[in-house]
Amino acid sequence: MLTLDLSKLNGFLPQDYLSSREDALREAARMLAEHNGPGGDFTGWVTLPRDYDKEEFARIQAAAKRIQQQSQVLVVIGIGGSYLGARAVIELLGSPNYNLKQKNTPDILFAGNGLSTDALLETISLIGDRDFSVNVISKSGTTTEPAVAFRIFKQMLEEKYGKEGARERIYATTDKARGALKGLADQEGYEEFVVPDDVGGRYSVLTAVGLLPIAVAGIDIEALMDGAAQAMEALSAPGADNPAWQYAAARHALYESGKKVELLACYEPCFRFFAEWWKQLYGESEGKEGKGLFPASVEYTADLHSMGQYIQEGERLMLETVVQFAPKGEFLIPNDPENVDGLNFLSGKPLSFVAEQAMRAVILAHVDGGVPNVRIQMPALSETVTGYLIYFFEYVCGLSGYLLKVNPFNQPGVEAYKNNMYALLGKPGYEAQKAELEKRL
Ligand code: PA5
């Protein structure tokens, strides 16, 4: 399913970069499989494609059908790992223009992933007087952005449909036992879905967190899980021919050789939010203790006309990972008898041929400019392919974190801003901190 081309690392890495890391990779793979490395309590995602809760999965499918019947809009409230996966898959498979398309599934609007008043007002006006439902997603149940948004949309639902009617339209995805959202959902009688204890936010796209909104968008979540299960099976085999081992070793070796940034590039505009999901996955997993490749993303060929100059000639900080999908359709470039633009040498050629040559040209130019290149080739986009790619990146991320000797499953750095924000907002208990912060501002 996935072909990894590392041939454009020649000259950037010593011959033995993989063999010299084989022992460490074997240990990393063992810790992931046995759930006993650093952060092992959060490695439930490793076997999720096989061991997911089948009863809940059926409830997700039933709830998705109900939402499709009851509403023209689903508002998905969540931030970080509680929203990026769903948006990534919906845009990748349903298009970034999903909401503009003619379809028999609801529009999906994302809220609670920021604190912009303008964005909130726009979401409300986009709903207009249409029927809507809400899927509020928060593992902790206490994250400020989604909690504030939920307050607002819950009130809107209650005003429009009454308390009873609102209850029928609110779906809560949260911890199975703890947290403010769990308490509220129990009290109000919302349909609940669980973020498993052993799966952290950024690894949760294949749980109810991602699956419910994805299913509402009409995407086949069984095929998505099947793709992930195929990857789980393929990547669990230890050894130097495992592509996850190869990619993790290459990233680590390049990092140790002085590279500081990994650019994820794709030639498909629908990949943009998948790259956002990937950035969170790698940024939160590796970026700690003063270590880690900074994950960045570019959309080609558009960004060749904005970021291309820096990538070619700026600081030699980066490696580039290109994800390529086989095209689904074909479009032939028309002939122009007058040939004013001089492009008749391309007449009758598929647009994908031009894209392929552009990609090959870029790879060679960047390699010549000192940017090592990793190429991931996938079949045409489908649910199965997407599930496979999700699991591949998750698994490589787990291996990479262990190679880097960090806990890839915590995110202690996220708390710093939250504590300051609570203090500045006047949350009870933070009075001393507030006074100290106000003095510094
Ligand atoms: O990956 C993570 O753990 C984070 O991005 C969380 O998903 C994010 O902070 C939202 O947290 P919660 O789901 O508890 O509201």
Side-chain angles (χ1 to χ4, degrees):
M1 172 92 73
L2 177 149
T3 307
L4 184 71
D5 179 358
L6 299 174
S7 62
K8 300 298 176 292
L9 300 182
N10 292 344
F12 291 100
L13 289 176
Q15 289 280 323
D16 69 343
Y17 78 87
L18 176 56
S19 57
S20 62
R21 286 172 176 77
E22 263 193 72
D23 288 348
L25 282 162
R26 195 171 305 281
E27 177 61 5
R30 186 198 62 71
M31 289 191 288
L32 289 177
E34 295 176 10
H35 311 287
N36 59 8
D41 289 350
F42 291 94
T43 51
W45 58 270
V46 174
T47 51
L48 193 68
R50 185 191 63 209
D51 299 338
Y52 66 91
D53 181 340
K54 310 293 183 300
E55 182 273 330
E56 185 180 66
F57 192 83
R59 271 201 310 117
I60 291 171
Q61 289 173 309
K65 279 216 179 75
R66 204 174 323 123
I67 294 168
Q68 288 169 345
Q69 282 156 8
Q70 72 186 172
S71 288
Q72 294 153 286
V73 181
L74 173 68
V75 180
V76 178
I77 298 176
I79 194 166
S82 289
Y83 112 96
L84 282 166
R87 187 156 183 187
V89 175
I90 292 169
E91 293 211 1
L92 192 64
L93 293 171
S95 160
N97 300 317
Y98 168 80
N99 285 342
L100 297 174
K101 286 165 95 171
Q102 278 208 324
K103 57 192 182 298
N104 55 9
T105 50
D107 281 0
I108 312 270
L109 300 177
F110 292 93
N113 52 58
L115 291 167
S116 161
T117 306
D118 290 355
L120 173 76
L121 291 172
E122 184 179 80
T123 305
I124 293 171
S125 81
L126 285 171
I127 298 171
D129 57 10
R130 293 185 291 170
D131 283 320
F132 72 103
S133 301
V134 165
N135 180 199
V136 54
I137 308 167
S138 177
K139 185 172 190 183
S140 64
T142 55
T143 309
T144 308
E145 292 91 334
V148 168
F150 183 52
R151 222 177 227 237
I152 294 162
F153 286 99
K154 173 175 180 279
Q155 199 173 64
M156 280 174 58
L157 280 173
E158 289 178 352
E159 276 167 12
K160 189 170 167 122
Y161 301 103
K163 225 171 161 32
E164 201 51 44
R167 176 175 305 140
E168 301 297 311
R169 291 171 177 275
I170 296 176
Y171 301 82
T173 307
T174 189
D175 191 87
K176 75 169 186 306
R178 287 177 301 267
L181 180 57
K182 169 68 185 161
L184 183 66
D186 284 354
Q187 183 189 308
E188 300 280 336
Y190 303 146
E191 170 140 29
E192 294 179 35
F193 298 95
V194 171
V195 191
D197 281 343
D198 55 0
V199 180
R202 58 189 175 275
Y203 291 84
S204 68
V205 54
L206 299 176
T207 70
V209 171
L211 294 178
L212 180 56
I214 291 169
V216 172
I219 292 165
D220 180 349
I221 57 174
E222 274 180 47
L224 192 71
M225 293 306 278
D226 181 54
Q230 288 181 37
M232 180 184 128
E233 178 72 27
L235 303 178
S236 63
D241 51 2
N242 181 322
W245 286 36
Q246 294 170 358
Y247 181 31
R251 299 178 74 254
H252 187 248
L254 288 164
Y255 176 67
E256 295 220 309
S257 79
K259 298 300 180 194
K260 300 288 179 220
V261 176
E262 181 175 13
L263 274 182
L264 189 71
C266 187
Y267 286 71
E268 302 299 331
C270 62
F271 193 76
R272 180 171 155 227
F273 258 87
F274 196 91
E276 295 301 318
W277 168 82
W278 176 90
K279 285 194 273 193
Q280 186 204 1
L281 181 63
Y282 281 78
E284 278 192 355
S285 299
E286 293 191 297
K288 51 197 70 160
E289 300 173 30
K291 299 192 254 189
L293 284 164
F294 181 84
S297 61
V298 279
E299 182 195 313
Y300 291 158
T301 60
D303 286 340
L304 293 169
H305 299 260
S306 58
M307 300 302 291
Q309 171 62 37
Y310 190 104
I311 298 166
Q312 192 65 45
E313 293 183 353
E315 285 254 24
R316 301 299 70 199
L317 293 170
M318 57 195 86
L319 66 125
E320 186 170 55
T321 298
V322 180
V323 180
Q324 184 189 13
F325 299 99
K328 272 193 268 189
E330 204 170 77
F331 194 93
L332 300 185
I333 296 173
N335 187 52
D336 176 1
E338 287 168 26
N339 196 23
V340 184
D341 54 13
L343 285 178
N344 270 357
F345 69 100
L346 293 176
S347 297
K349 298 231 162 57
L351 185 59
S352 58
F353 166 78
V354 182
E356 173 76 18
Q357 303 323 310
M359 189 189 65
R360 296 171 77 207
V362 171
I363 289 175
L364 292 180
H366 287 180
V367 167
D368 290 345
V371 180
N373 184 277
V374 174
R375 185 169 165 191
I376 296 170
Q377 286 171 286
M378 303 297 294
L381 265 167
S382 68
E383 280 89 343
T384 317
V385 165
T386 303
Y388 197 104
L389 194 60
I390 286 171
Y391 190 90
F392 174 75
F393 278 129
E394 288 181 347
Y395 193 69
V396 171
C397 190
L399 293 177
S400 296
Y402 285 154
L403 284 186
L404 206 56
K405 298 203 182 332
V406 297
N407 175 350
F409 307 112
N410 65 4
Q411 54 284 330
V414 180
E415 297 310 311
Y417 103 90
K418 283 192 195 166
N419 289 331
N420 285 351
M421 183 175 71
Y422 291 148
L424 292 171
L425 285 171
K427 188 171 177 174
Y430 287 78
E431 292 76 5
Q433 203 178 328
K434 177 176 168 65
E436 197 262 327
L437 290 174
E438 293 288 8
K439 260 192 260 157
R440 286 174 49 207
L441 283 167

